[in-house]
Amino acid sequence: MSSTPPSPSLPQGPATPKSAPPIHILPNNISKTYALIHPVLLLALVALRFNALITDPVAELLSNLPFLALLQVTFVMTCLPPAGSAKDDDDNNNNKSTSANPTSNSTSNAGSGVILKPGKIGLRRKNTPKSDSGNLSAKLLPAILSLTLTTLLATPVLTILLILFGAPLTTHHAETLLCAAHMAVLTSTALIYVHGVDGSIWKEVWGAKRPADAVWGAALGTCVGAWFGAVPIPLDWVNVLICYVCRDRPWQAFPITIVIGAYIGYSVGFGLGRTVLFGKRLKIEEEGDVVDSKKVD
């Protein structure tokens, strides 16, 4: 009696890479307190300089840019873990678990061909806390690098996107560049600080597939707020109403409403990203383009 040959197993495709988890605000009182104050400071910066922004947008945006950069650097250094810190914590936890189980450690060493001599007491390295200067440098260098990459890479990209979305091509060059610079500092400084240049994460960022957190929510809120801020520009009836309220001051002019919308969108996205929407993301399926909200652990 003949036996049927076993059917060959179908080759399995590559495993789908696991998405990086959302970013938590650092668990200390200073970080949590400043995370509440930071968006208020940004809105206060716009509100206090609103009249000057209407009078001379170029000069005001240029003079406010260093203050915005300082606030963003302070925020990332105070409230966020730098890129790679989560991996270091996992390595430390693995080292602790290995040292807590000496039997498994010796077994693995024996299996690998290493023989431990009995009776020898190894020296245990003391876990000395890092100095304040070491902690400061470990946060300051990534913050400066993030701000540098934001200036060199994110600002030109956003300038091109603003032009593609309708910003003047042959005029208002300074306004477009400064608007892009403000949006870049708002969106990219914290993203680069916490994610570095990890290509898989940046694919999620550009594809709007990141799980919501304060960093991603603020970046997405900035873009959405800037887009809504551009809506009143071509509406003449809005210009008449606003000029009447603001004593004939043309604050509808480009790029005032876009910048204000970006700051408001940042604050709203920041708050929603770290509260009710934390850990959720929009999942777009290939068949039917079904949009679903999914919680990420």
Side-chain angles (χ1 to χ4, degrees), residues 41-54 56-72 147 178 181-183 185-186 259-260 263:
L41 293 177
L42 292 178
L43 292 178
L45 178 64
V46 176
L48 293 176
R49 304 299 301 173
F50 180 73
N51 292 332
L53 181 63
I54 297 175
D56 192 349
V58 174
E60 188 61 25
L61 290 175
L62 184 61
S63 62
N64 284 348
L65 193 57
F67 294 100
L68 173 62
L70 179 61
L71 288 175
Q72 288 295 92
L147 191 60
L178 288 171
H182 277 254
M183 291 181 61
V185 175
L186 288 172
V259 173
I260 294 174
Y263 275 82

Side-chain angles (χ1 to χ4, degrees), residues 19-186:
S19 176
I23 301 300
H24 294 265
I25 300 296
L26 293 178
N28 58 71
N29 294 331
I30 296 178
S31 300
K32 294 179 179 179
T33 302
Y34 187 76
L36 297 175
I37 298 175
H38 180 67
V40 178
L41 293 177
L42 292 178
L43 292 178
L45 178 64
V46 176
L48 293 176
R49 304 299 301 173
F50 180 73
N51 292 332
L53 181 63
I54 297 175
T55 304
D56 192 349
V58 174
E60 188 61 25
L61 290 175
L62 184 61
S63 62
N64 284 348
L65 193 57
F67 294 100
L68 173 62
L70 179 61
L71 288 175
Q72 288 295 92
V73 169
T74 303
F75 166 67
V76 298
M77 292 180 60
T78 305
C79 302
L80 300 177
S85 60
K87 183 178 180 181
D88 295 338
D89 292 339
D90 293 338
D91 294 338
N92 293 332
N93 293 332
N94 292 333
N95 293 334
K96 290 180 180 180
S97 61
T98 303
S99 61
N101 297 320
T103 304
S104 60
N105 188 16
S106 61
T107 303
S108 60
N109 290 331
S112 61
V114 179
I115 301 176
L116 299 179
K117 295 182 180 180
K120 298 290 185 179
I121 302 176
L123 295 177
R124 181 177 298 177
R125 185 176 62 183
K126 296 181 179 179
N127 294 327
T128 57
K130 294 182 180 180
S131 61
D132 294 338
S133 59
N135 286 332
L136 180 61
S137 62
K139 294 182 178 182
L140 182 60
L141 292 179
I144 295 176
L145 181 60
S146 302
L147 191 60
T148 303
L149 292 178
T150 296
T151 304
L152 297 179
L153 299 179
T155 301
V157 170
L158 286 174
T159 301
I160 296 174
L161 290 178
L162 284 175
I163 294 175
L164 292 177
F165 275 90
L169 178 60
T170 58
T171 60
H172 298 78
H173 297 146
E175 289 88 342
T176 303
L177 181 61
L178 288 171
C179 178
H182 277 254
M183 291 181 61
V185 175
L186 288 172

Side-chain angles (χ1 to χ4, degrees), residues 54 57 172 233 239 250-258:
I54 297 175
H172 298 78
I233 292 179
N239 191 21
W251 76 272
Q252 188 189 4
F254 175 82
I256 298 174
T257 57
I258 297 178

